[in-house]
Amino acid sequence: MASEGLAGVLTAVLAGQGLCVQSCDSAPAGEPPAPVRLRKNVCYVVLAVFLSEQDEVLLVQEAKRECRGSWYLPAGRMEPGESIVEALQREVKEEAGLHCEPETLLSVEERGPSWVRFVFLARPTGGILKTSKEADAESLQAAWHPRTSLPTPLRAHDILHLVELAAEYRQQAKHPLILPQELPCDLVCQRLVATFTSAQTVWVLVGTVGMPHLPVTACGLAPTEQRGGMKMAVLRLLQECLTLHHLVVEIKGLLGLQHLGRDHTDGICLNMLVTVAFRSPGIQDEPPKVRGENFTWWKVTEEGLQSQLIQRLQRSSVVPVNR
Ligand SMILES: *[C@@H]1O[C@H](CO)[C@@H](O)[C@H](O)[C@H]1NC(C)=O
């Protein structure tokens, strides 16, 4: 097996880098999934958390009729042709008047593959805070508020958890800085670093059709896949090669994110860390048997890589992906 190539690939993915999506190892039954299109069959939202040195949070006051006057973090829908970072910068400029740079992804939230929100920790790099004199259709104004006494009413309380996540990250970063990688992709898909661990050995599930590679699973946009969420596509791929009722599968979270947004490619690839373990307790020295010939377990023998992987697993050092 091309173990050297795989070691390079795994190193890159653990470093938050991207890799071209060549083909998918698992796809929903029936029609091959159609390319995703923003505004047609998928909606991506970007959201920014800014935390000042004085522990203040940047909030914007909503202008939309249904929530006029309430406060929220700067956020909005991505437009066709934008990268994720460009969308974030545009929304922050429109709603808060500031230029910004994203520091890291903090969280990814999904309601099925067709609605995904990317939450960033960001820092202002210039511009002038929008005041009520500049109120327009985007927002009424923006203001910094102490993190522990946010104004009321809030448009929704889901931001409280995101603000806490940002504060925790500032205090002690649980994962490395992770930013979107600009790589084209036609679908919403996930590349899996699916691991099995015994004592101090780690195995990683590998696809064998073509060059050995980290397996990729395509998310469908049909209603059943929406209800199942992104997890469903992970379980589908694992089901195709493992006997899942003996096993516990845990989706730890995101190692990296790929998206281009130009040239009509609106797909995303989420590089995900997943663990597979036996349900029954006891010493398990070997990973579960793989059915068929399209997948195999690769034993990670490179010492540095193995310890890196074990550390990431033990600390859950990933961006959380929530439903
Ligand atoms: C293995 O992959 C080949 C080529 O993609 C495919 O035709 C075949 O159905 C797969 N086998 C199984 C058991 O899924």
Side-chain angles (χ1 to χ4, degrees):
M1 161 134 350
S3 168
E4 242 170 67
L6 283 170
V9 161
L10 186 56
T11 303
V13 169
L14 287 177
Q17 290 164 15
L19 291 170
C20 271
V21 175
Q22 307 284 8
S23 62
C24 292
D25 299 87
S26 172
E31 297 275 302
V36 301
R37 286 276 180 273
L38 221 50
R39 289 256 187 91
K40 299 224 164 63
N41 52 12
V42 290
C43 174
Y44 304 143
V45 175
V46 287
L47 182 146
V49 188
F50 293 87
L51 260 189
S52 73
E53 306 251 305
Q54 293 75 39
D55 206 26
E56 294 164 323
V57 183
L58 180 70
L59 295 179
V60 296
Q61 198 172 25
E62 299 283 356
K64 286 190 230 71
R65 193 168 354 127
E66 61 275 20
C67 52
R68 194 175 174 87
S70 63
W71 295 88
Y72 205 63
L73 293 169
R77 288 179 182 208
M78 283 174 57
E79 301 286 346
E82 284 181 322
S83 71
I84 296 174
V85 171
E86 285 165 354
L88 185 81
Q89 290 170 329
R90 176 184 52 74
E91 286 292 347
V92 169
K93 182 71 180 52
E94 287 172 356
E95 296 188 348
L98 300 181
H99 302 287
C100 73
E101 286 293 339
E103 291 178 51
T104 182
L105 264 172
L106 273 183
S107 168
V108 173
E109 298 160 312
E110 53 117 348
R111 296 183 199 151
S114 64
W115 190 95
V116 186
R117 183 161 79 169
F118 305 108
V119 178
F120 288 90
L121 180 63
R123 63 166 170 267
T125 55
I128 297 167
L129 200 64
K130 185 169 176 175
T131 66
S132 52
K133 283 200 211 84
E134 289 112 37
D136 58 19
E138 304 294 343
S139 71
L140 300 180
Q141 60 174 318
W144 294 91
H145 296 273
R147 178 172 62 89
T148 48
S149 65
L150 297 182
T152 52
L154 293 176
R155 190 184 105 199
H157 284 258
D158 60 342
I159 59 170
L160 296 175
H161 147 78
L162 300 175
V163 168
E164 287 319 297
L165 206 56
E168 283 164 22
Y169 191 89
R170 270 289 161 73
Q171 201 166 39
Q172 188 177 32
K174 203 170 161 199
H175 57 77
L177 299 173
I178 295 175
L179 289 172
Q181 304 292 306
E182 295 199 2
L183 281 170
C185 180
D186 280 331
L187 304 170
V188 174
C189 61
Q190 298 168 83
R191 176 182 285 114
L192 307 188
V193 176
T195 59
F196 175 86
T197 311
S198 84
Q200 286 299 299
T201 307
V202 188
W203 284 263
V204 171
L205 190 70
V206 164
T208 54
V209 178
M211 288 280 283
H213 58 277
L214 294 175
V216 174
T217 182
C219 298
L221 299 177
T224 47
E225 296 260 331
Q226 290 307 322
R227 282 194 297 275
M230 301 250 226
K231 183 172 186 178
M232 194 162 163
V234 174
L235 294 178
R236 183 193 342 101
L237 181 138
L238 295 177
Q239 195 135 37
E240 284 165 12
C241 60
L242 300 171
T243 308
L244 287 192
H245 64 264
H246 295 310
L247 304 172
V248 182
V249 174
E250 192 187 345
I251 298 177
K252 304 290 272 187
L254 185 97
L255 294 164
L257 170 65
Q258 309 179 199
H259 168 267
L260 185 63
R262 287 189 300 276
D263 311 324
H264 307 291
T265 55
D266 291 338
I268 50 174
C269 177
L270 284 71
N271 297 320
M272 302 290 288
L273 184 61
V274 174
T275 59
V276 174
F278 285 104
R279 203 172 276 282
S280 59
I283 310 245
Q284 310 283 355
D285 288 335
E286 296 287 326
K289 212 164 137 36
V290 170
R291 279 197 313 272
E293 291 171 355
N294 290 355
F295 298 93
T296 187
W297 288 105
W298 162 50
K299 189 173 176 174
V300 180
T301 49
E302 291 77 359
E303 221 170 87
L305 196 50
Q306 194 188 80
S307 58
Q308 210 191 121
L309 199 46
I310 289 173
Q311 273 197 3
R312 297 293 290 270
L313 286 164
Q314 281 173 349
R315 289 194 208 146
S316 288
S317 171
V318 285
V319 172
V321 177
N322 296 312
R323 221 169 126 56

